[in-house]
Amino acid sequence: MRAVIAEDSVLLRIGVVKVLEMAGFQVRAELADAEGLLAAVEEHRPELAVVDVRMPPGFTDEGVRAALVIRQQFPDTAVLLLSQYVEERYAADLLAAHTTGVGYLLKQRVADVEEFAAAARRVAAGGTALDPQVVAQLLVRRHSDPLDRLTPREREVLELMAGGRSNSGIATELVLSESAVAKHINSIFTKLDLPRADADHRRVLAVLRFLGVAGA
């Protein structure tokens, strides 16, 4: 799989390149700004773009805006945002527009090589990956009635779903059988009043409801 990286910190950029190469990616371009990133994506059409949230010239939300452009103009390129701090609104902005092939992780996760590589592969394959700290903050802040219907175990399952875990991944994390996980997920769908649809679509709706970027 091909990847491009946009990160203005040289040391972190080198680290991300090494981790992605170890994960089987071919890094086609390394940039320090959003303008260069968009040009590289257009040229190389990578499966994954790893993007810093704050980049030159303003160091505000240049990476987020570039990510939204990439997902709109180059839908085959997944985007994994990296941030120095927890800014969950950026994850919500990205997921509100695109529900597949997106991720948001804190930069410190790069040091956990295996976890970061797994997240990058998952996002590149069309899945999602949200930083556990972002998910935890959203869980504390959410007070809508539908979510209050969930049991503590169901909230744990939904939290892991929001982090991009598969049923088998959730089962491993919570030491449950996959059939038990499936039952919890079906219960979540029912309690959140989600319309009947294919399982993947309902899964996305549940995560969006959790993030507060879909109608309650």
Side-chain angles (χ1 to χ4, degrees):
M1 290 185 288
R2 296 157 296 173
V4 299
I5 299 169
E7 165 60 59
D8 63 287
S9 169
V10 176
L11 290 178
L12 182 59
R13 190 165 68 236
I14 292 172
V16 173
V17 169
K18 295 298 184 183
V19 173
L20 290 180
E21 288 178 343
M22 290 172 59
F25 287 89
Q26 297 177 356
V27 178
R28 295 297 180 87
E30 306 169 34
L31 302 313
D33 59 81
E35 184 177 351
L37 167 66
L38 293 175
V41 170
E42 183 174 13
E43 177 183 356
H44 299 289
R45 303 299 174 93
E47 282 76 24
L48 179 68
V50 179
V51 185
D52 186 8
V53 166
R54 300 173 182 268
M55 289 189 291
F59 293 96
T60 55
D61 63 349
E62 290 84 358
V64 178
R65 289 187 278 112
L68 291 171
V69 171
I70 290 170
R71 295 300 290 137
Q72 181 177 9
Q73 296 186 3
F74 309 99
D76 291 334
T77 297
V79 175
L80 176 56
L81 287 174
L82 297 180
S83 180
Q84 186 70 38
Y85 309 103
V86 175
E87 297 173 288
E88 66 269 17
R89 64 189 177 92
Y90 291 142
D93 288 346
L94 191 60
L95 282 167
H98 304 280
T99 57
T100 60
V102 294
Y104 182 100
L105 296 176
L106 293 181
K107 292 182 179 181
Q108 67 193 51
R109 305 300 173 193
V110 178
D112 190 338
V113 174
E114 291 186 3
E115 187 68 23
F116 182 78
R121 286 192 293 263
R122 186 163 67 245
V123 172
T128 59
L130 291 180
D131 195 276
Q133 288 192 32
V134 176
V135 174
Q137 284 201 15
L138 289 167
L139 188 62
V140 170
R141 294 184 182 188
R142 294 297 296 164
H143 297 289
S144 61
D145 288 341
L147 288 172
D148 288 341
R149 301 172 191 167
L150 303 182
T151 66
R153 177 62 83 186
E154 288 166 352
R155 292 174 77 89
E156 288 180 321
V157 170
L158 182 53
E159 181 178 348
L160 291 170
M161 286 169 61
R165 299 294 183 88
S166 64
N167 283 19
S168 62
I170 294 172
T172 299
E173 181 73 19
L174 299 181
V175 193
L176 297 171
S177 67
E178 288 193 43
S179 62
V181 171
K183 289 179 180 178
H184 285 309
I185 291 175
N186 286 332
S187 179
I188 290 168
F189 291 159
T190 299
K191 291 181 179 180
L192 295 185
D193 300 319
L194 296 177
R196 290 199 170 277
D198 65 85
D200 288 341
H201 181 58
R202 296 180 85 191
R203 196 181 188 93
V204 169
L205 289 176
V207 170
L208 290 178
R209 186 70 57 83
F210 171 70
L211 292 172
V213 295

